[in-house]
Amino acid sequence: MVVIGGGFAGASFARAVKREDPGIAVALVEPRTHYTACPLSNAVIAGMRDMSAQHFGYAGIEADGIVHVPQKAVRVEADQRRVVLADEVRLSYDRLIVAPGIDLRFDAIPGYDAAAVEQMPHAWKAGEQTLLLRRQLEAMADGGLVVISAPANPFRCPPGPYERASLIAHYLQAHKPRSKILILDAKDAFSKQRLFEAGWAALYPGMIEWVGLSFGGGVTGVDPATRTVRTEFGEHRAAVANVIPPQRAGAIADIAGVADRTGWCPIDPVSFESRLVPNVHVIGDAAIGGAMPKSAFTANAQAKACASAVVALLHGRNPGEPKLINTCYSLLAPDYGISIAGVYSPRDGLLAEVEGAGGTSPLDATGAERAEEATFGAAWFDTITTEAFG
Ligand code: FAD
C-alpha cells in the first residue's frame, strides 16, 4: 500500500493497516520530517501554548514497520498503479490512499493570492503562518481592529474560525482591551453558533462582532498592502487581517484525477474508494461524501474504517458498513470548552448523520462543566496525536 500524506488521515491509516495485517507493506509518502498539528494551534495564536507542542515526528510510525518516504508525490499513473515521486522514483501499489489534506484557493477572493498571505495570514495550515498571525497580534496597538474572514462550507474545521476569534479575544482582553474583532462570514450560520455567541457575551462582552452573509459578511476583495477587507457594503481597514479563504483538496488529488469540479474527492462511503479512479481511496479533509465535517477526529475515524475496508478487499472479503464518530472540541478560554458530536453511516451512497445520535454541549452548562470540557479537549488531542504519531 502507498499512502500519500502523513497527516492525521494518512498516518492513522498506515498504522491501522499494520495493526490489522502486519504482513502488508505500507509506504507513507510525506515530504516533511515532522508534522505540525492544527488542533490547538489557535491557542498558539493566542499565546497560551508553545508551537513546539504542535510538532510530531515519524519515528514512532517507522518503528511500526511503515516506511516513511520523505518525498512529495507529484503524479499518479493509475493505469499502472504507480505513484511518481518528486525525484522520479516510482512506487507500485495494490491500493493507493490519497490523504493530502487541503490547499487554499488563491483564485477565490480578488487580491488574496499566494503573496498576500505574508500581510494577511490565513494560518489555516499550522506552521509559519500560525506564528506570523501571533506576531501580528503582538505588534498591534491597543484599540486595533482584528478582521477574521470565514469561508462558506465546506472547509477544514467548521468551528475553527470562531474558536480563533474567542482565543484572540482572550488575549486582547488581557493585553489590548480596547481592541475589537470583526468576523466577516460567507455563510449565515456556523457550527455551535448559539454556544459560541453565549460564551462571547459572557466572557468578552462587546468585543466580538459576527456579520453573516445576508448582512454583508461576504468578502468581495482585499488589499494586502493596506490590510483592507472589502464587502458589498463597505470596507474595513484592519490592524490584523486573518483571511481564511475557500479551500479544496490538496493539489495531488486533482493531479491524480480523484477530485471533481467542486475541488473535493467523491468517495464510496463504505470503502472510501474514489468514485472517479479505481483502487484509489481518499480519506480526511480531501474527501467529500456526505455530512461528516472536515476534522482531525474525522480524518482518524475515516482512516481506521478505510483500513479495515482495504484489508478486507485485499483478502477478497466484502468490507463491513462502518459507523463513524466525530467530536469537535472548541476552547473559548483556557478553562471554557464546548463540543459537538455526530455519528455517521452510509446511506444513499453518502455518509449521512445518524439522527438523534449526536449533539452539542448544553447551553446552560455550569462553569465547572465548561472547564471539564476544556480538559476533555486537551485529553482528546493527546490521545489522537499518540494514536497517529506517538
Ligand atoms: P493534513 O493534516 O493537512 O495532512 C495532509 C498531509 O499531506 C500533510 O502533512 C502534507 O504535507 C501531505 N501532503 C500533501 N500533498 C502531498 C503530496 N503531494 N505528497 C506527499 N504528501 C503530501 N480538527 C479536530 O478534529 N479538532 C480540532 O480541534 C481542530 N482544530 C483545528 C484548528 C485549526 C485552526 C485548523 C486550521 C484545523 C483544525 N482541525 C481540528 C482540523 C484538522 O487539522 C484537519 O481536519 C486535519 O488536519 C485533516 O487531516 P488530513 O490528514 O486530511 O490533512
Side-chain angles (χ1 to χ4, degrees):
M1 287 215 207
V2 176
V3 185
I4 298 178
F8 282 106
S12 303
F13 174 89
R15 284 195 140 167
V17 163
K18 273 285 178 194
R19 254 194 324 266
E20 290 219 14
D21 185 343
I24 295 176
V26 185
L28 182 67
V29 180
E30 165 62 60
R32 292 169 205 268
T33 51
H34 70 257
Y35 177 72
T36 307
C38 286
L40 295 186
S41 66
N42 285 331
V44 176
I45 290 166
M48 292 158 44
R49 187 176 168 86
D50 200 80
M51 191 64 173
S52 60
Q54 302 300 111
H55 291 159
F56 299 90
Y58 291 100
I61 286 182
E62 290 192 289
D64 284 356
I66 296 153
V67 180
H68 173 212
V69 182
Q71 286 275 334
K72 186 173 176 182
V74 293
R75 272 194 323 280
V76 174
E77 297 169 340
D79 294 347
Q80 288 112 58
R81 294 198 194 175
R82 289 195 308 219
V83 174
V84 185
L85 306 179
D87 63 0
E88 287 296 316
V89 166
R90 286 167 165 72
L91 299 180
S92 299
Y93 62 81
D94 291 307
R95 295 270 168 178
L96 171 65
I97 311 306
V98 176
I102 56 155
D103 269 351
L104 301 154
R105 290 190 46 184
F106 291 119
D107 56 352
I109 301 174
Y112 198 72
D113 56 19
V117 307
E118 297 304 326
Q119 281 76 39
M120 297 178 147
H122 52 76
W124 220 238
K125 289 187 176 193
E128 192 38 49
Q129 279 278 297
T130 313
L131 297 172
L132 177 60
L133 184 52
R134 170 76 195 142
R135 286 196 298 273
Q136 289 190 354
L137 287 166
E138 282 177 314
M140 182 183 113
D142 189 10
L145 174 68
V146 177
V147 174
I148 299 176
S149 98
N153 296 321
F155 66 104
R156 160 177 284 184
C157 195
Y162 317 97
E163 178 189 67
R164 179 170 290 174
S166 311
L167 295 184
I168 290 177
H170 178 75
Y171 165 73
L172 295 177
Q173 193 179 55
H175 300 278
K176 304 170 192 198
R178 293 188 299 113
S179 309
K180 292 259 181 288
I181 300 170
L182 173 66
I183 308 173
L184 298 171
D185 213 322
K187 54 195 171 301
D188 275 326
F190 62 87
S191 176
K192 293 181 270 192
Q193 183 162 354
R194 290 176 67 204
L195 285 165
F196 273 114
E197 289 180 338
W200 294 343
L203 297 166
Y204 314 114
M207 192 174 248
I208 301 174
E209 184 187 357
W210 174 76
V211 183
L213 181 66
S214 300
F215 292 91
V219 172
T220 55
V222 298
D223 177 10
T226 57
R227 291 203 180 116
T228 302
V229 181
R230 282 189 296 279
T231 69
E232 263 178 48
F233 293 97
E235 51 180 48
H236 305 275
R237 230 181 149 136
V240 174
N242 170 214
V243 177
I244 306 165
Q247 297 141 37
R248 62 175 160 233
I252 188 68
D254 195 32
I255 295 166
V258 289
D260 68 12
R261 275 182 312 163
T262 65
W264 304 106
C265 306
I267 43 116
D268 173 272
V270 174
S271 65
F272 296 86
E273 187 162 2
S274 165
R275 296 263 188 217
L276 304 175
V277 183
N279 303 310
V280 180
H281 301 248
V282 187
I283 50 174
D285 283 359
I288 195 131
M292 273 195 105
K294 298 184 182 303
S295 71
F297 200 121
T298 288
N300 174 269
Q302 292 185 345
K304 289 186 274 194
C306 180
S308 283
V310 172
V311 170
L313 289 168
L314 278 186
H315 290 292
R317 300 191 307 264
N318 280 333
E321 288 227 334
K323 276 237 161 45
L324 300 133
I325 300 176
N326 175 65
T327 306
C328 281
Y329 295 96
S330 300
L331 277 181
L332 280 72
D335 57 355
Y336 192 117
I338 58 173
S339 65
I340 184 167
V343 181
Y344 304 84
S345 68
R347 196 169 68 225
D348 303 330
L350 295 171
L351 279 170
E353 187 155 12
V354 177
E355 268 177 46
T360 60
S361 317
L363 255 179
D364 60 355
T366 62
E369 286 165 335
R370 298 283 188 235
E372 200 173 28
E373 285 233 69
T375 64
F376 293 161
W380 166 80
F381 182 84
D382 289 344
T383 304
I384 196 155
T385 51
T386 302
E387 196 172 292
F389 306 102

